[in-house]
């Protein structure tokens, strides 16, 4: 039998970056040596949100969820000994995408690349701000100026870096925020329409080159464990993109209309309970985006099995890379045409998803498009509601998660026998060292040139010029990430996105006999005993962690249980949280942190509550006062949870605590304990 011709494998990446540019560079070079075929850079939260590491909001966040890049020197060190002309680099960066792309280009120039070689650089800047308003929370500027930054970046790359993908429209984070497959398709496509309309209307790209713009638009998609549905979703995406680009923008070349996407499989679907099950989840989710040749991902990156426990080690990332390599190189998958062509089942589900998504796209267009739907709060409220419905299905057992709400008995797990070594930790000294290095950089640069570059950036931002040339000069002049962002804040202002909590409908009604009805009675009885109209819960997100899904679900369920909820959204300092707790006279403070900064920020909140006279019990010499228990939720290793409780935290909840109604009941119990009320058992 003649040997079949195999397709070329997809690009294999590992999403990575931590601690410092030097440590991340060493990790990248090790991963490339193991057979990884592209880089996917994770930046820390200060870099993503436009703060230098010495800013108060950056405290505890430096180097936690990615690599800190404060200036050109850091970018230079990050890619040392990695030839950029031969690399395909994906950068998960949005509000500050233009800035990081400028740093990348200047590093390439320093590696000796001339203008023609720069035009051959390949890679991706994520640069999708809409989903930041809806899910990840790393937005900085209002929607209008943010769309301008995206537009200017696209126009620049079309003219000067035509092989670069200037935007990676992300439905990945929408699914993690609760989106159904229909919503995931519709909201991503609505974002693409908003971006393409803005580029077309800006006048920066000639009409005859709009095909080049469309041809460089890429997508970043989530793949959940329902892998048949996920595969059909990808086919629906492909079908709708072809239709929109042909009918709305008149793109005739089918190569330009091709749906180009990369994928990360669902990280937030990984479980802390029985984490070994995450391996088969990852494999199934990968199959959803690789089995179908007609809708196969162009690039795949897989999370590690232990991401629900903490920061994966290099060995864990290697395991995920090997999963891809076994499928691509040992199996015969790449030898065949599409396995599902002609399938009635696949065609029917694909058509159903496409029809629903097109209807939702039309609804958003009638509102004025994606940006208007962000500003009105419609998109966020829809996601919060969908997420609440899914959580209710999990809690009821209707949606089963093995090891979490079914098949919970387990043998001792050798992978997690020593949790202190099952994940990687970031030394607190890293932040101090990065801050010290930043100060040395400022001291040694040409200060006058840096100030001139920032002045020119502000001048361009106040006018209509493309901002990329001024940004490139800022990079060359030694301007820092925070300085670049603050210059634009001065012109554009900042933006706090709608939370979606107040407008989210009731997802779990307190029907008589239900668990929620029992908790609601506890809430009402406790409020009566304390002599207040309602129990008041403050839900706070200290620091720069913008993943607000968990906080929003707690806020919505607490509201439905009868609490008055104070939720001001993301990106607050401990000082702001404590001030709100005192001003609103709350009965409990709930803190949500997924970035790993809990060890730094939670004790600060406790200390400030003590100094405000509302801690329990009063510290030595403290004023005492109305006790306010503090609870904490997030990805918190066991040793850290023990330390937080020892510091005075009343309760710690992690991903294994999936029952939100039970968590609300625990909050009531902690309020009663703090106020020295007798335990209250209300039958559900």
């Amino acid at each position: 039998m003649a040997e079949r011709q195999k397709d070329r494998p997809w690009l294999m990446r590992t999403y990575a970056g931590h601690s410092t540019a030097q440590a991340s560079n060493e990790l990248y070079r090790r991963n490339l040596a193991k057979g990884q075929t592209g880089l996917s850079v994770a930046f820390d939260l200060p870099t993503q949100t436009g703060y230098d590491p010495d800013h108060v909001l950056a405290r505890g966040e430096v180097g936690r969820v990615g690599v800190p890049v404060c200036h050109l020197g850091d970018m230079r060190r990050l890619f040392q000994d990695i030839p950029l002309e031969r690399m395909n680099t994906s950068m998960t960066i949005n509000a500050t995408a233009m800035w990081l792309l400028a740093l990348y280009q200047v590093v390439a120039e320093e590696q000796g690349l001339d203008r023609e070689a720069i035009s051959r650089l390949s890679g991706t800047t994520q640069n999708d701000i809409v989903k930041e308003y809806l899910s990840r929370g790393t937005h900085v500027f209002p929607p209008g100026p943010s769309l301008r930054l995206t537009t200017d970046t696209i126009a620049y790359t079309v003219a000067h870096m035509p092989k670069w993908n200037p935007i990676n429209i992300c439905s990945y984070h929408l699914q993690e925020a609760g989106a159904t497959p229909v919503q995931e398709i519709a909201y991503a496509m609505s974002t693409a329409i908003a971006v393409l309309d803005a580029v077309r209307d800006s006048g920066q790209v000639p009409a005859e080159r709009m095909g080049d713009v469309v041809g460089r638009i890429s997508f970043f998609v989530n793949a959940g464990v329902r892998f048949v549905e996920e595969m059909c979703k990808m086919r629906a995406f492909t079908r709708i993109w072809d239709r929109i680009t042909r009918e709305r923008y008149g793109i005739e070349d089918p190569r330009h209309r091709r749906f180009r996407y990369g994928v990360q499989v669902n990280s937030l679907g990984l479980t802390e309970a029985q984490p070994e099950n995450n391996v088969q989840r990852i494999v199934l989710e990968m199959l959803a985006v690789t089995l179908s040749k007609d809708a196969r991902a162009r690039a795949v990156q897989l999370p590690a099995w232990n991401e629900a426990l903490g920061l994966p080690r290099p060995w864990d990332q290697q395991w995920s890379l090997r999963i891809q390599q076994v499928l691509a190189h040992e199996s015969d998958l790449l030898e065949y045409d599409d396995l599902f062509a002609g399938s009635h089942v696949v065609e029917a589900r694909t058509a159903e998803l496409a029809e629903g998504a097109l209807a939702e796209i039309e609804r958003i267009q009638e509102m004025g498009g994606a940006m208007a739907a962000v500003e009105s709060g419609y998109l966020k409220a829809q996601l919060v509601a969908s997420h609440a419905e899914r959580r209710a299905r999990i809690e009821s057992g209707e949606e089963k998660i093995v090891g979490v709400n079914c098949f919970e008995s387990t043998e001792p797990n050798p992978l997690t026998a020593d949790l202190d070594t099952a994940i990687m930790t970031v030394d607190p000294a890293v932040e101090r060292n990065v801050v010290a290095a930043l100060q040395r950089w400022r001291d040694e640069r040409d200060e006058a040139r840096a100030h001139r570059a920032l002045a020119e950036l502000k001048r361009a931002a106040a006018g209509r010029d493309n901002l990329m040339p001024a940004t490139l000069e800022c990079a060359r002049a030694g301007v820092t990430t925070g300085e670049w962002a603050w210059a634009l804040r001065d012109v554009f202002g900042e933006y706090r996105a709608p939370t979606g909590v107040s407008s989210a409908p009731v997802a779990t009604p307190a029907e008589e006999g239900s668990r929620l009805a029992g908790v609601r009675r506890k809430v009402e009885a406790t409020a009566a005993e304390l002599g207040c109209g309602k129990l008041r819960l403050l839900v706070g997100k200290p620091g720069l962690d913008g993943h607000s899904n968990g906080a929003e679900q707690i806020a919505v369920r607490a509201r439905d249980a009868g609490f008055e909820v104070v939720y001001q959204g993301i990106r607050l300092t401990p000082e702001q949280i404590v001030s709100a707790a005192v001003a609103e006279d709350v009965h409990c403070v709930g803190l949500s942190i997924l970035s790993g900064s809990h060890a730094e920020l939670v004790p600060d909140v406790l200390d400030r509550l003590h100094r405000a006279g509302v801690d329990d019990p009063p510290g030595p010499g403290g004023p005492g006062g109305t006790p306010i228990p503090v609870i904490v939720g997030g990805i918190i290793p066991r040793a850290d949870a023990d330390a937080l409780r020892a510091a005075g935290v009343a309760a710690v909840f992690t991903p294994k605590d999936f029952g939100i109604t039970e968590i609300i009941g625990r909050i009531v119990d902690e309020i009663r304990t703090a106020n020295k009320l007798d335990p209250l058992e209300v039958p559900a």
Side-chain angles (χ1 to χ4, degrees), residues 25 74 88 146 153-154 187 232 304 456 526 534 546 549 577 640:
N25 171 267
D74 287 339
N88 188 299
S146 294
T153 303
I154 292 171
Y187 298 171
C232 294
E456 173 58 21
T526 303
K534 278 191 169 186
N549 304 332
I577 288 171
D640 287 3

Side-chain angles (χ1 to χ4, degrees), residues 68-95:
V69 174
C70 313
H71 45 69
L72 179 61
D74 287 339
M75 200 67 147
R76 186 185 293 145
R77 187 66 187 86
L78 185 63
F79 292 105
Q80 185 173 322
D81 299 322
I82 298 176
L84 297 187
E85 77 273 17
R86 299 204 301 270
M87 190 51 53
N88 188 299
T89 304
S90 172
M91 292 190 279
T92 300
I93 197 71
N94 295 281

Side-chain angles (χ1 to χ4, degrees), residues 459-489:
R459 185 206 64 77
R464 298 175 59 87
D465 291 352
N466 187 298
L467 291 172
M468 191 67 181
T471 296
L472 282 164
E473 173 54 22
C474 283
R476 296 179 181 118
V479 165
T480 69
T481 296
E483 290 168 340
W484 179 86
W486 279 109
L488 294 183
R489 284 183 177 99

